[in-house]
Amino acid sequence: MKLFVGLGNPGAGYAANRHNIGFMAVDRIAVEHGFGPWRARFQGLLAEGSLGGEKVLLLKPGTFMNLSGQSVGEAVRYLKISPAEVTVFHDELDLAPGKCRLKQGGGHAGHNGLRSLHVHIGEGYARVRLGIGHPGDKNRVADYVLADFAKSDAGWREDLLAGIAAGAPALAAGDGAAFLNAVALRTAPQRPPKPPRAPRETAQTAMPATPEAAPPEAAVPDAAPKTALARLVDRFRR
């Protein structure tokens, strides 16, 4: 059994926030793979289903981002699973918008949702880091993550969520490389191969054209015909 956790804040007012892309990711998996309805469990919402034959539970904590660990910790203890069976989808400021990275264990890098998870279940869980970009000023981070995605973000966000849903069975099977490849095929599709270039024609050395035989020149008479006066002069000279 695997537990996939999406991080975010509950309530309609937060639904389109950048901070809620983790919720969006598990929502997309639930829709694309026919999970059951969301039910109130573990201080959040839980949906059950399977991915590639593996039983998977999807959890959206309802304790708000900074207390996410309370909900996840309760689920882990009840289900009797280890942190290694937990995968968390969360927003990542340090990745460009639309980028996706997979990490097992490690620090929380200042993310308050992960910080809470560390307290309640330790650091051994996997993280799917979903890039949302950085506002460029650390003083603007809170407002940035709690603001809705811009309209211009719709394209890359849709590609990213589609890739996550497509790769979810591989992620449940523990094949991180196949998961990331499925995401990449949506977010950075390969261009179709170019058709092979036609072989270049070998330049043939131009042979000088054989000149056609010039027509024979008309015979030039030795002298122009003599006029009558010239003939008369010749008679008197004789």
Side-chain angles (χ1 to χ4, degrees):
M1 179 188 296
K2 299 293 177 64
L3 178 65
F4 284 3
V5 179
L7 296 189
N9 289 309
Y14 298 100
N17 285 183
R18 294 183 177 92
H19 222 17
N20 274 41
I21 196 169
F23 276 11
M24 297 174 195
V26 294
D27 278 336
R28 188 60 169 267
I29 292 171
V31 170
E32 295 291 337
H33 295 281
F35 275 61
W38 293 97
R39 302 181 186 279
R41 290 291 304 276
F42 309 128
Q43 302 180 60
L45 293 175
L46 188 77
E48 299 185 22
S50 63
L51 295 171
E54 179 82 24
K55 183 176 181 180
V56 176
L57 302 179
L58 305 178
L59 176 63
K60 295 189 292 184
T63 49
F64 287 90
M65 180 69 79
N66 293 1
L67 300 175
S68 298
Q70 291 182 5
S71 171
V72 178
E74 183 178 327
V76 166
R77 290 187 296 273
Y78 180 87
L79 298 170
K80 296 181 172 59
I81 59 176
S82 71
E85 303 304 309
V86 178
T87 299
V88 176
F89 297 79
H90 67 90
D91 58 307
E92 178 58 73
L93 288 163
D94 293 332
L95 288 178
K99 296 296 183 181
C100 177
R101 297 290 184 269
L102 180 62
K103 181 181 179 181
Q104 185 73 42
H108 54 67
H111 191 289
N112 287 332
L114 301 185
R115 191 195 306 272
S116 178
L117 283 162
H118 275 48
V119 171
H120 289 272
I121 67 169
E123 62 178 41
Y125 57 92
R127 309 96 192 271
V128 178
R129 305 163 62 211
L130 306 175
I132 60 169
H134 196 285
D137 182 348
K138 65 180 181 180
N139 295 319
R140 294 174 51 205
V141 165
D143 290 338
Y144 179 76
V145 298
L146 292 175
D148 289 355
F149 280 103
K151 290 183 179 179
S152 59
D153 295 326
W156 67 256
R157 187 183 61 185
E158 170 61 24
D159 290 340
L160 178 60
L161 295 177
I164 288 168
L171 186 62
D175 191 343
F179 166 72
L180 291 175
N181 185 60
V183 175
L185 287 175
R186 297 303 200 283
T187 58
Q190 296 179 351
R191 295 181 180 178
K194 293 182 179 179
R197 297 180 62 181
R200 300 180 67 180
E201 296 183 3
T202 304
Q204 297 183 353
T205 305
M207 298 295 291
T210 304
E212 297 181 2
E217 296 183 1
V220 180
D222 293 338
K226 294 184 178 181
T227 64
L229 178 59
R231 290 196 298 271
L232 182 58
V233 172
D234 284 347
R235 287 182 61 187
F236 281 106
R237 283 180 179 174
R238 291 175 184 172

